Each structure stands twice: as C-alpha cells, then as structure tokens.
Amino acid sequence: MVTAATFLQLGVSGLTSGATYALIALGFITIYRASNILNLAQGDFVMLGGMLTVTGMSRLGLPYPLAAAVAVMGTGLIGLLAERLVIHPIRNKPLIISIMATIGISMTLSGSALLLFGTSPRTLPPLAPAGAVSLGGGVSVSSQALAVLLVCLLLLAAFHAFSSRTWSGKAMEAAATDRLGADLVGISRSVSRMQAFFISAALGAVAGVLITPLYFMQYNAGALLGLKGFAAAVIGGWGSYAGAVLGGLVLGVVESLSLAVIPAGYKDAVAFVALLAILAVRSKGLLGSRALEEARK
Amino acid sequence: MRVKRVLITRLEVYLVILAALLPLVVSSEPFHHVMTIAGLYALGTLGLAVFTGFAGQISIGHSAFLGLGAYSMAILSGTCQLPTLAGLAASGLVPGLAAWGIGRQLLKLREYFLALATIGLVQIFQVLATELEGLTGGVEGLFNLPWLSVFGFQLDRPLEQVYLVWGVVYLAFLFGRNLCSSGYGRAFQVVASSEDTARTLGLSPEALKTRAFVFSAVYAGLAGGLYACIFASVSPEAFGLDMSVMLVLMLIVGGVGSLPGALAGSVLITWLDIWLSGYQQYSLAVFGLILLLLLIFFPEGIFRGIGARWIDIVRSYAREDWRKELRR
C-alpha cells in the first residue's frame, strides 16, 4: 500500500520534472505570443542544449559553465537561423504549412544531432553539490532538483521583468496583442519574431543543461519533451507566462503521482489524458486563456 | 438541379488502364511491394484529404486510426481465427466508432490545439498498444498474421497485393470524389471557410466535422487493416507520429484539397522515404531538409506549384515588358 510519505516524495520529485516542463512551456508561449506560431521544434532545442554542453566539455575540453554558456548561445543562434530560413518565408501561409514546417525543423535538428552525437545517451555532472536536502517526514529532495526549481522561478521573474519593463519586451507584447497597431507605431514584427525565436531557443537550451544531469539525453529525446511542454502550457492556460509555469508544475506532479496508482508504462500517456480532460472540462486552462477561448469559438 | 455524381472521363479510363498495366510491365517484386505500401498510405491520405482539404480541420494523429484498424484486423483474424474479410470490416468499423465517440469533444478545438490533441491520440494509442499486453502482444506486437483471403483465394504474392490495395484505393477514391462533389462536400467547404456562415445556412458544423472525421478514420482504419495483412505483423512503434507526419506531408505535396493529388503525393513520398531509408543515419536529417524545402518552395503542393510557375512564366513572356516582369 502506498504510504503518505511515498505520496509526498513522489509529489516532490514531480516538481522537478514539472519545472522542466515549465521551462519548455515558457519557450512555446514566447514564440506563440510574438508570432502566432506553434514551434514543435521546441523540444529539440532542449536536446541541443544538453548535447552541445556535453560535446563542448568532452571534445573541446571547455570548463562546465563556459560549455553551458556556449551551448545556450549556440542553440539561440540556431533558433534565429531557423526563423530566418524557414519561418520567415512561410509566415503568410496556412496554419498546416507552419505546423509541418516546425516539424520539419524538429526532424532536421534531431537528424543532425544523430549524425553529430550518435545514438548513445549522454549525461552531465550535476550542477549543484551532490546530496539531498531532507524536508522532514522521510521526504527528501536532491539539491540538483532544487537548483532546477530555483532557475525556473528566476527565469519566470526575468521574463515578467523583460516583458513589462524593457522596450523590446513591450514591443514584443504589442506585436502579439495587436498586429495592425504594432505596425502603425513602427514596431517591426519581423524583429520581434527573431527575438522570440532566439530567446525561446536559448531558454530551451537552459532547460536542456538543467535536466541532462537528472535524466539521460539522446538525439531523439526532444519530441516527447516538447509535446509535454506544450501540453503543460495548455493545461496552465495558453498564452500567459504564469500559466505555463503553473501548468508545467501541475503536469509534473500529476505524472509523478500517477506512478503510485497505475503501472509505470502508462506514465507517458498521463500528460495527454490530462490534456484532453482539461480541454474537455475547462478548456481555458487553470489560469484562463484569452487565446484558447478565441481558438475554440 | 440534379448533380451528376459519377464523373469518369475518357482520359481517366485510359489512365486507370495504363496504371493497371504498370505492375505487369515492371514485374519486379520490390517494385510491387513499394507500390503496395504507397497504396496503403494513399488510402490514409485520401481520408485526410477530405478531413483537412475539404472540412478544413487539422489532424496529425491519423496513424492512431491506422493502428487501431491494424490491431482490430490482427486480433480478429490472428488471435480469434475469424475470416479475414470480417477482420477487414472490423478494421474500418472500430476506428470509425472510436472517431465518432471522441469526435464531438475533440473537434470543438481548433488550429494548434486540435493538432496537439490529435498528436495526443497517437501517444495514448501507442501507450495502450504497448501496455495491454494480453490483447496486443506488448512491444513486440502480433505476428504471423494470416494473409487476406477472399472466398478461398489467398492473396499472398506481391503482385496480387498491389492489385488488391490499389483496387481498394480506386474504389475509395471514387467514393471520396462523389462525396466531395455532393452536398456533403460543399457543406464541408462552408464549414472550413466559416462555421458561422454554416450555421446561418442551417448546417451544423459540429455534426459535419464529426462526419468528416469518422470518414477519414474509416479510410485510415481500412488502410491499417490491409497493412496488417500485407506485413503479417503489427507493432506499436509502426504507428507512431512519424507515420502521421508522413500522411500530412503526402497531402501537402499533392496539394491540400485535391484527391488525385493525395494519390500522387503518397506514391512520391513513399518512394522518397524508401530511397532515403537506404542511407540509414542520414535519412532523418535529409528527410527533414526535403520537407522544409518542399514547404518553403511548394506550399501549394508540387503539382499545383509547378503548374502555377509555368503559367506565370508563359504569361510574363506574353507581355511586352516580360524582362522586367521576370526580374521582379
């Protein structure tokens, strides 16, 4: 029988994977708000972040922090390149074309990763000193997991500050809110879109650097991570940063708790069952979403 | 005015005869096998052409229905030893019922959310097919399935399978075309362009979308049922997201909303896929790049794309200032 302590422990460890989903969800939202495009290659940016860091350390002999920084910037530039080469030319095409284009980007990225890094799963040394912090009652949390949570919350605060305090953040918000209005006051939507792709690719890479020490990273790990991140963003309330983070954490915890109730093999379906349930019962997500209401009308 | 439903032109008769002779002229077993696979994809793409091209809905999840059809066939004809024709009927019926059951809730969603929810269907299908081991055989799936046999004739040679699959595809094509040129087809198009307009005209967008969904699920399920007979095995990873993506890609390459295009796109992309899979680890990256190039340069499908380009060039030559036109 599952004891209360086990239950709590599962919940706590769910928060860690939840924080990862939250970071991926943030990336989805950033691009969607700036360009109304759903970037299904988001999970591959996560994979690239982790794999590039591993390669930087093992092949180029860079120190850990430098390798991570290079990986994050490099992935950001790949995101920028993807926007310029693929998304920009098809920006006025029907929805199905843009969905397929981001799937194409995803296939190209994971295919290139297969060629560059091979099929073997890689891992990284932990960021935080090894060890676990006890929360009392037999429940403990690893310090790496705490670091992931902390970075996630810091990034959320940074995002909030960026979009409400800085000029370019406000410009991105404006371009997302009202296209014509943004055009009229001289905000370049093209530039906003480029910024958004750079930021969310870099954000995905940060998530990749954070989770590679916890789970193993492989060339094809991106697809499932990306889909779960998107599911998290919808569950929390599509379109808002806070919703993305909340949705990620909730999804992580639900997925982890499900381990106590149903066999582990079903874990990967939990996210999508939760998603379909949320869409059927409360389609605007936990925090509510204007974008989803409009998409459903 | 009464609409003429069956429209087979003389050109089409010639084309069908030529196509029917092709497997006899090129009588190599690999060719027959690849064309059989192309026919399976074509059947799935035809359903999607009605759902996406006419009713305007997006699905990246039809491999789940293909899988459902394949497993229905495998379980009925393999495990339960029923006649394969009964299995084939079930492989259309079960996905159709499943689509009917979830359609109304699912199709309230639009755009990206519909795309994501359909992707979710594939994930849920794969997990179920892996986990319900007693019924589905788990990760390995079911194998040693019987060949399709019609009234005692066993269709086990590649040549027979090509004719079987493409015969079904042609019937499905005729049915789909008649459907699309009937009142249903026009109603689907109204729903695709504006649901409010559809309501004003007394049409129910919910019911119509669900019907288009069921239609496409039945087509995909039949393709899955034939798949189970031809490969004589089914496994969960055969019906993953990449199969769904392939179906949508075939649809786009042929031109969304064109039924002959769906057939041509399926044949083209199947050959591309088989050809690329010879290059093993390069295939994924190259396939992704080709997909991107197709979307950027031929978003309306290559047939329409090439045609439109030709017309543009000819037109610009016809004008006096054609040099200026071309340079622009």
Side-chain angles (χ1 to χ4, degrees), chain A residues 274-294:
Chain A
L275 172 80
L276 291 179
I278 274 276
L279 287 174
V281 177
R282 185 179 161 84
S283 66
K284 54 185 188 285
L286 298 173
L287 289 187
S289 153
R290 221 183 55 214
L292 192 52
E293 291 282 276
E294 269 169 23

Side-chain angles (χ1 to χ4, degrees), chain A residues 214-225:
Chain A
L214 287 173
Y215 314 100
F216 284 89
M217 191 55 83
Q218 218 178 343
Y219 77 98
N220 58 0
L224 196 60
L225 281 173

